[in-house]
């Protein structure tokens, strides 16, 4: 079986006055997660894991922080993009495993409902989605929610390169390579590294 694996991680600080969105659900809690989008730390980690599984960049490549289009955006949008990238690459999800790290609220009582919601968003069965949670013991990070995610994907068809957004980016890179080769051959200019897609380390998506 042709399989690949992807890993994703995200963190958001708690903030008063915004709804707490985790796993595509609104949770009953006095504080939400700060972020340019809805701050859904679980969906962001899964999105990065899915993109990583097919080497399609990361959430910041597609949704640069600060872009007004993604202000308060439902993070299901990011998940949908990652699902399209997976499909275009010819893969489907085998399973998703996640670990949330946060002091509160308790996730265990609602983990089943959250697994159902995430599996619905991903179009897979609930037993393909695992959501675990731990408290940040000894880390001094009670004001932060973090999430780790791994996704195993399996090949179902040949990649659909023409429709893939990451394939477009690859084409731009290849175009830059051609230009660099021409410059190097004509002017003797050393070949420089091609420009990567936009990525901001202060990603707040
Ligand atoms: Mg995020």
């Amino acid at each position: 079986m042709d399989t690949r694996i992807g890993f994703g991680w995200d963190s958001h600080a708690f903030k008063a006055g915004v709804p707490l969105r985790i796993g595509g659900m609104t949770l009953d809690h006095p504080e939400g997660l700060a972020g340019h989008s809805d701050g859904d730390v679980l969906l962001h980690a899964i999105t990065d894991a899915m993109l990583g599984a097919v080497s399609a960049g990361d959430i910041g490549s597609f949704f640069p922080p600060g872009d007004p289009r993604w202000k308060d955006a439902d993070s299901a949008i990011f998940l949908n993009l990652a699902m399209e990238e997976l499909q275009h690459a010819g893969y489907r999800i085998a399973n998703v495993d996640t670990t949330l790290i946060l002091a509160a609220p308790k996730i265990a009582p609602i983990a089943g409902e959250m697994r159902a919601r995430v599996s619905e968003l991903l179009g897979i069965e609930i037993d393909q989605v695992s959501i675990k949670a731990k408290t940040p013991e000894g880390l001094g990070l009670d004001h932060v929610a973090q999430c780790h995610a791994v996704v195993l994907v399996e090949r179902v068809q040949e990649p659909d390169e023409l429709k893939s957004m990451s394939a477009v980016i690859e084409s731009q890179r290849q175009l830059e390579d051609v230009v660099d080769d021409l410059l190097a051959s004509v002017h003797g200019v050393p070949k420089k590294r091609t420009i990567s897609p936009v990525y901001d380390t202060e990603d707040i998506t």
Side-chain angles (χ1 to χ4, degrees):
M1 186 188 296
D2 187 355
T3 57
R4 295 175 64 108
I5 192 166
F7 170 75
W9 175 87
D10 196 27
S11 72
H12 285 264
F14 279 97
K15 173 188 176 183
V18 295
L20 178 57
R21 296 278 297 172
I22 299 181
M25 298 168 54
T26 301
L27 307 186
D28 186 18
H29 195 64
E31 296 183 309
L33 293 173
H36 187 61
S37 66
D38 65 5
D40 194 323
V41 68
L42 182 87
L43 295 192
H44 295 179
I46 294 174
T47 298
D48 261 358
M50 292 169 67
L51 292 174
V54 290
S55 303
D58 59 37
I59 196 168
S61 311
F62 293 103
F63 305 101
D67 187 326
R69 289 176 296 174
W70 317 124
K71 180 83 179 79
D72 299 327
D74 184 336
S75 294
I77 294 170
F78 309 145
L79 208 60
N80 285 340
L81 179 277
M83 288 168 62
E84 285 184 17
E85 285 298 307
L86 267 190
Q87 287 166 7
H88 292 323
Y91 285 82
R92 70 180 173 202
I93 293 174
N95 73 299
V96 180
D97 186 20
T98 63
T99 299
L100 283 161
I101 304 165
L102 72 177
K106 290 293 179 196
I107 299 299
I110 54 170
E113 189 181 350
M114 195 175 283
R115 288 174 61 209
R117 175 64 180 146
V118 171
S119 62
E120 179 187 8
L121 289 171
L122 291 172
I124 56 181
E125 299 298 320
I126 189 169
D127 66 0
Q128 292 173 282
V129 177
S130 161
I131 296 175
K132 313 183 300 298
K134 304 180 79 69
T135 52
E137 296 294 331
L139 294 176
L141 291 173
D142 286 2
H143 63 294
V144 172
Q146 303 174 63
C147 187
H148 298 257
V150 288
V151 175
L152 186 73
V153 297
E154 56 192 4
R155 182 181 285 284
V156 287
Q157 63 187 37
E158 291 304 307
D160 182 3
E161 293 184 11
L162 288 177
K163 292 179 183 174
S164 168
M165 289 176 70
S166 61
V168 172
I169 292 171
E170 288 300 316
S171 296
Q172 289 171 348
R173 284 179 176 167
Q174 286 161 8
L175 180 61
E176 288 169 11
D177 272 347
V178 170
V179 172
D180 283 346
D181 285 339
L182 278 171
L183 284 170
S185 62
V186 175
H187 299 296
V189 178
K191 191 171 178 184
K192 64 175 171 52
R193 181 79 185 91
T194 54
I195 299 165
S196 297
V198 176
Y199 179 70
D200 190 331
T201 52
E202 292 183 321
D203 171 28
I204 54 167
T205 49

